[in-house]
Amino acid sequence: MFNYETGIEPMEISGAEIVVRCLAEEGVEFVFGYPGGAVLEIYDAIFKQNAFKHVLVRHEQAAAHAADAYSRSSKKVGVCLITSGPGATNALTGIATAYMDSIPMVVISGQVGTAGIGLDAFQEVDMVGCSRPIVKHNFLVKDVRDLAVTIKKAFHIASTGRPGPVVIDIPKDVTINKAEFSYPASIAIRSYNPPTKGHPGQIKKAAQLIGEAKRPLIYVGGGAVQGNASEEVTELVKLLNVPCTNTLMGLGALDGTDSHFLGMPGMHGTFEANLAMQYCDVLVAIGARFDDRVISVPNHFLSQPKRIIHIDVDPSSIAKRVKVDVPIVGDVKHVLTDMIAVLKETGIRPHAEGLTDWWKQVEAWRAPKCLDYAQSEEKIKPQYVMQKLWEVTNGEAIVTSDVGQHQMWTAQYYKFRRPRQWINSGGLGTMGFGLPAAIGAQLANPDAQVACITGDGSIQMNIQELSTAKQYHTPVKIILLNNRYLGMVRQWQEFFYGNRYSETYLEALPNFEKLAEAYGHIAIRVEKPQDVEAALREAFITHKERCVLLNFITDEGENVFPMVQNGKGLNQMDLPPHMSGMQQSPNENNRDYGNLC
Amino acid sequence: MRHILSTLIENEAGALSRVTGLFSARGYNIDSLTVQATEDPTMSRMTIVTHGSDDIIEQITKQLNKLVEVVKVIDLNEAEHIERELMLIKVRATGKEREEMKRMADIFRGRIIDVTEKTYTIELTGPGEKLDAFIKALDASAILETVRTGASGIGRGERILKI
């Protein structure tokens, strides 16, 4: 509208330009995407700007994974841009992956023009409907004047409270239509007020409960990583001198080399972590959700009496699978800060004698070294590759993984030292996540060593991203643990289906070295255990600046131990051969553990 | 146990589908659901009747609250409340039945709102059980059509759901 006072006609810009300006205002560094008909206007606007870089993936699923891992490794919001119809549906797996792991991500999807919506137009899909169950929130923008404020809302919602992906579906005509541009500096949404501070009364109660504990355990999940509460977790653990276990998503929240760290709990958790989970008397759960892969069956988990303090930013995570004694809704960082202050002020500590005995017990569980495995002269053991990787990278690499046995071995053997160092699809378990995630993480951390741990099954689910790695010169190191099987499924078939390896042997695997070379990368094939370390050094040192695929031909029969079978309790683990038959309960000469089960 | 959840929700396109999608995705029951804009046209009031154990109802309430467009949720069962449902029922009204139908409608404080030579359409308001009782009281073969709104609920006395 013409302004009669100033005589200036306000500049109206197209919806596509608004999108680009908003992303620049948000400080977006990379947009991971793939062009198509419905987003042509946006791509034209991207062509004309230089505020952010666009990363052209080779499949929309990879765009979502790369944006997701960019976020996981940088604390920033990941941004992904895709076209309508198949572009949008291809991204859904990546969106669901981010949703299950609470990753802040903004996904901009093109949509057919508003006049075409609902008419089965070419490349039309109801993206708002399709994505609804797997997003924190989504929007369909029907009017260009709503675009900027919607994008502001999307970033706000994605990154606050319990983070998650937000989809903005933008019809093509909205990207063409013009409006005045102004980007709100802040936004308030009356229906959305995520909690921050925890209730002081509850925090005091929690402190009192800790004071009564004889066998305390701190159980840390992905919420501590996403909530940037690693320092507070570490301080709490050290202040109380209490053992600590980090879930698959929480690895790195406490340094994996710290003496308080018991390893990961759950289906493939360590002996000591699982027994500590089962037999503790006070459990402090921090940003964890008592997932089925962690506690297995709730009734069995609770059959050993314990009192639970549960800190989570999402009230619906509390009392979802297990009832807790002291729920604290709040941002974990805030709550832990306040709790540490209360503990320091009051001097409350766990029962001293009890804690000493508890540590003795925990050390006794640690002693048999459940992660020991039989080394071989002939065959490469995958665990050995992980240990050597840790040594060669000084435990400092950012490690992404796909899904399966290799993921569990990475979680068990690569001792993550800091948060956001370990990037995997924990909740959804998405094969094909690792490679695009490694690219996203490398772009976010150009100076870091990035390793993608994968298997011969998973790598083929997004192998086209080798092309993206070439285009953007991301020197990721692909550690392919090639056992010619879909190993985790094979393991279950061995244990539970009478060795009937139904469709898990991968015949006709490609020549991975030639494949990597065809994409312009370096490939190293490793067949002997004695060559493992040298190959890793060659990849990480000699070819530091290049993307390298290391094809480790590993022992095809290796299984992941310990293992808690479906329906079993945490003290009913399948143990590795050197521990078979070992008692999975506290030592009898120890203090009274109540009703032992 | 049966619960009535009163929800204030942004009056936006797609908000209803988020609520119903949540119920189907998580396997919760919806016995009935009514929704209409309030005196503030940007806000809708939704009454959801559901049933489940206390744990399930707690989760439903939390999950509803988690929806970005949901402003507030209360469980009306936590205190005194009133619920009403509207039914329109079309019945055969011929011969002797015609007078009987009129009497029945009067007894239940229903109103006949449409009349033909052969039918009455009766409007009846009340708690769900009253509507059930009315249906039961009629000869099943006389009922031609029923349509019910599902319950709307409100807290008694000073208890107010508002932002």
Side-chain angles (χ1 to χ4, degrees), chain A residues 99 128 132-133 135-139 153 157 162 189-192 314-320 323, chain B residues 10 12 14 17-18 21 25-26 40 42-43 55 58-59 62-63 65-71 163:
Chain A
Y99 180 68
V128 166
R132 197 188 57 230
V135 291
K136 185 169 174 186
H137 197 57
N138 59 18
F139 298 94
K153 279 184 187 173
I157 292 169
R162 180 177 181 173
I189 304 171
R190 66 176 170 179
S191 59
Y192 176 73
D314 176 6
S316 74
S317 273
I318 297 175
K320 186 170 66 179
K323 289 220 172 207
Chain B
E10 295 287 347
E12 281 171 8
S17 70
R18 284 184 217 282
R26 294 194 181 261
D40 169 0
T42 66
M43 189 82 77
D55 293 352
E58 183 186 336
Q59 264 300 311
K62 286 172 166 179
Q63 293 290 349
N65 268 311
K66 204 168 140 179
L67 295 176
V68 167
E69 283 156 340
V70 168
V71 180
I163 52 164

Side-chain angles (χ1 to χ4, degrees), chain B residues 90-108:
Chain B
K90 192 173 285 181
V91 293
R92 203 178 53 230
T94 50
K96 267 201 316 208
E97 275 177 330
R98 200 166 172 88
E99 189 50 32
E100 176 64 13
M101 280 300 172
K102 173 79 175 72
R103 256 200 309 275
M104 288 296 282
D106 288 344
I107 291 168
F108 279 82

Side-chain angles (χ1 to χ4, degrees), chain A residues 393-530:
Chain A
T393 56
N394 296 318
E396 282 169 6
I398 293 175
V399 180
T400 74
S401 94
D402 272 302
V403 170
Q405 285 183 318
H406 64 269
Q407 177 189 25
M408 291 301 113
W409 283 316
T410 315
Q412 290 176 331
Y413 292 90
Y414 198 97
K415 300 192 184 315
F416 293 97
R417 309 211 53 189
R418 57 176 199 277
R420 300 184 181 276
Q421 190 188 357
W422 165 231
I423 293 164
N424 83 127
S425 167
L428 196 66
T430 310
M431 290 171 70
F433 177 79
L435 180 55
I439 294 169
Q442 183 78 76
L443 289 167
N445 302 272
D447 300 326
Q449 308 177 85
V450 176
C452 162
I453 318 300
T454 184
D456 44 292
S458 285
I459 187 68
Q460 294 191 78
M461 282 212 189
N462 265 325
I463 198 153
Q464 75 286 344
E465 297 309 313
L466 284 172
S467 186
T468 311
K470 183 68 188 168
Q471 182 169 342
Y472 297 95
H473 307 288
T474 48
V476 301
K477 309 295 182 265
I478 300 162
I479 315 288
L480 170 56
L481 300 178
N482 181 350
N483 64 355
R484 286 80 65 208
Y485 275 103
L486 301 176
M488 188 57 93
V489 184
R490 189 207 60 77
Q491 177 170 342
W492 283 52
Q493 288 171 339
E494 179 186 329
F495 288 12
F496 316 125
Y497 295 91
N499 300 324
R500 291 183 299 280
Y501 298 133
S502 178
E503 306 296 326
T504 47
Y505 180 67
L506 295 187
E507 283 177 75
L509 282 175
N511 181 324
F512 285 109
E513 297 84 73
K514 278 192 178 168
L515 189 58
E517 283 162 11
Y519 278 104
H521 302 305
I522 292 168
I524 306 171
R525 184 182 176 89
V526 192
E527 294 179 342
K528 294 274 171 241
Q530 49 273 25

Side-chain angles (χ1 to χ4, degrees), chain A residues 78-100:
Chain A
V79 181
C80 159
L81 172 62
I82 55 194
T83 193
S84 64
T89 53
N90 272 347
L92 288 174
T93 301
I95 296 169
T97 304
Y99 180 68
M100 285 294 271

Side-chain angles (χ1 to χ4, degrees), chain A residues 377-394:
Chain A
E377 297 282 307
E378 301 301 316
K379 289 182 173 177
I380 298 175
K381 293 287 182 182
Q383 302 94 323
Y384 177 69
V385 179
M386 287 302 105
Q387 287 176 326
K388 286 291 155 193
L389 175 69
W390 193 87
E391 285 174 30
V392 169
T393 56
N394 296 318

